[in-house]
Amino acid sequence: MNLAISAFHSTNNIGTAKAKVDGYVAKNFKDAKRIADLYGYLDEYAKWFATSGIISADSNVLLAYPLTSNWQLGGLISRVDYLQSGYRAVLFEGIAPGWEDQLRMPLIQTAIAVRYGRPATEVKVGFQELDGNTLTDTRYNIAQRSSAEDEFKKIGAQVWKLLPNLSP
């Protein structure tokens, strides 16, 4: 679905996005209800986006942000919005309770700030349901971002100790 939404943002054409869904469905789905849901999500998302006033700066952004010489934060950011206050990185996932406490979120804020050349204080991170009806975001302060980096590095050091055949 991310590829379909990315195609929608790249072309501003729902037909191009549906063609992406067509290809995905043909390879992966047989259940008629799930197929209808996918097209429904795409239609709802496109309707929502058209009326939202949001400016999409980028979509399907691949992160590879080095946090140490051995470890990097990697992943896919579904959409990056341009806001008057800076940028917002949006993940298209179900919004879990307590998502603000996920280690990756303040790290994503820093990675997006670096990638787009903005201070981290001008970047928000959050989640959006695929139908576009629910969008939630937050911004982490410097202490929260620093704590997340420290935790990431501690985890990396522990993992490194478990990999005896590799050396730093």
Side-chain angles (χ1 to χ4, degrees):
M1 190 55 116
N2 274 345
L3 291 176
I5 291 174
S6 183
F8 170 72
H9 285 297
S10 297
T11 63
N12 204 25
N13 183 307
I14 192 70
T16 302
K18 285 184 178 182
K20 288 284 185 190
V21 175
D22 292 343
Y24 182 72
V25 164
K27 293 178 187 173
N28 299 294
F29 288 91
K30 302 254 186 265
D31 184 299
K33 182 183 177 343
R34 288 190 69 196
I35 292 168
D37 286 347
L38 286 174
Y39 287 103
Y41 290 146
L42 182 59
D43 286 337
E44 288 298 315
Y45 178 84
K47 287 176 195 172
W48 168 83
F49 189 79
T51 60
S52 71
I54 291 174
I55 299 168
S56 174
D58 211 344
S59 60
N60 269 6
V61 175
L62 186 60
L63 284 186
Y65 179 66
L67 285 156
T68 72
S69 60
N70 299 318
W71 301 104
Q72 68 181 8
L73 173 69
L76 187 66
I77 306 302
S78 303
R79 189 184 70 232
V80 176
D81 300 334
Y82 174 75
L83 307 171
Q84 287 183 339
S85 62
Y87 288 95
R88 173 176 48 215
V90 179
L91 303 175
F92 294 149
E93 296 179 20
I95 303 170
W99 69 266
E100 298 94 339
D101 298 326
Q102 292 180 11
L103 179 63
R104 65 182 171 159
M105 299 310 285
L107 300 174
I108 290 171
Q109 180 178 335
T110 301
I112 291 295
V114 169
R115 183 179 183 119
Y116 291 93
R118 300 293 288 231
T121 56
E122 295 180 8
V123 175
K124 291 181 172 186
V125 293
F127 288 92
Q128 183 170 14
E129 299 286 347
L130 278 176
D131 63 5
N133 289 324
T134 306
L135 172 64
T136 185
D137 63 32
T138 194
R139 183 178 287 132
Y140 298 92
N141 64 39
I142 192 165
Q144 292 168 309
R145 294 189 314 274
S146 179
S147 177
E149 274 195 41
D150 290 346
E151 182 67 19
F152 183 89
K153 290 174 183 176
K154 284 179 192 173
I155 292 169
Q158 290 171 351
V159 170
W160 199 255
K161 288 179 185 176
L162 297 173
L163 301 171
N165 296 331
L166 300 176
S167 59

